[in-house]
Amino acid sequence: MSAVTMQAFRSSLLHFSADPALADHAHHWHEDGLLVLEDGKVKAAGDYFDLFPLLPPGTPVTDYRGKLIAPGFIDTHIHYPQTDMIASPAPGLLPWLNNFTFPTERSFDEPVHAKNTAAFFLDELLRNGTTTALVYCTVHPQSVDAFFEAASKRNLRMAAGKVLMDRHCPDFLQDCAETGGRDSEDLIRRWHGQGRNMYALTPRFAPTSTDAQLGVTGELARAYPDVYVQSHVSENQDECRWAMELFPGVRSYLDVYDRYGLLRPRAVYGHCIWLDDADRARMAATGTAAAVCPTSNLFLGSGLFDFAKADRAGMLLSLATDVGAGTSFSMLQTMNEAYKVARLQGSYLPALRMFYLATLGAARSLHLEGTIGNFATGVEADFIVLDPKATPLLARRTSHCSSLEELLFALALLGDDRVVAATYAQGRLVHERVTEAAHH
Ligand code: GUN
Ligand code: ZN
């Protein structure tokens, strides 16, 4: 047995134990706080002057005064193979898929390319303060191996899976119901629960899977209840029409997934824009989560997510970038756009709620509360150090905030990777921002 390793970090601290939309005392804020870790897990989070006297003598204390420590961001919908095609112009989802996405994903049959892209992708997430993501790979099993190898090397808690698609895509990206199912099961056995890795069954979306493939996926989802399910639903109106034509007799696009047992806890669907109230109620009743992707939805012109209707239905919600249709890896920039989408739909998203959705709310969507997402005792110490003075404009704006809400709002609206001074995974530094001053 090695000796217990204690570490502590002095900074302002922010984290959540409830949804601020539902509870009055949902957030915890310690202006002069101390985060205490033991063996890479949270031991305590509180006021510096309460906790410092309790530290064993000799415990190293890292001084981040003037900064703000929060749990690492969690991005619940992102495609690592689309890193190199971010910001590719197309008039809507379906042409974007055909003209850019499918040709780009083709090259992930090549393990060296997959490995290089996964390494860049994960480092980019860490630069942006994202410590956990629910990730699409490509149809090639080797793209999943490359991803989990890179995530393991960095000791990150990541969920990912092989895309399943056996129709309506180029031949070079097609699997079949049988091989897709077999490959997925092999990957679950190889990776799920290995270190911090978690597997996600990943039918791309209903239009690219046959009934047979959705059937096999549903069986795997039942056989492995603790693996994730991820897909897209109701993103774009042309896509919705197409899905309804392909599956005659369904009540709605979402209903396709329901028929195959793909609505369940640990199932996460990207977009969810064109749902009706019956769909929303069904998602809430089955514990299925929505990943809201505002930069992507605005970029492709897909539509505006309705936060008020989702909340009324009691759906599990989180924020996601959806890179490469999303236009930023930054969860702060994702909040910026989410805020504006909410305004256009007549609702209002406080900054506190957005920080909740990007941390504990996402952990809850992934059934990982107690593992990641806040600073409760025993939670894995994935956290970020945010610098409210990262840019001249932010320094000027945040020098006169009269409330925490105002400070967080400025960070969300004006911030991006420049705000992330450092990122830690299980108590270990995995990214440190090189400032301009350090360059000179
Ligand atoms: N629908 C099916 N595949 C995709 C994809 O790769 N990105 C987005 N945004 N929507 C999809
Ligand atoms: Zn997507």
Side-chain angles (χ1 to χ4, degrees), residues 79 82 93 96-97 101 204-205 232 235 271 296 300 322 325:
H79 302 252
Q82 296 174 11
L93 171 66
W96 177 85
L97 283 173
T101 316
R204 179 170 215 118
F205 64 156
H232 299 83
E235 176 177 2
H271 308 289
S296 167
L300 289 175
D322 192 30

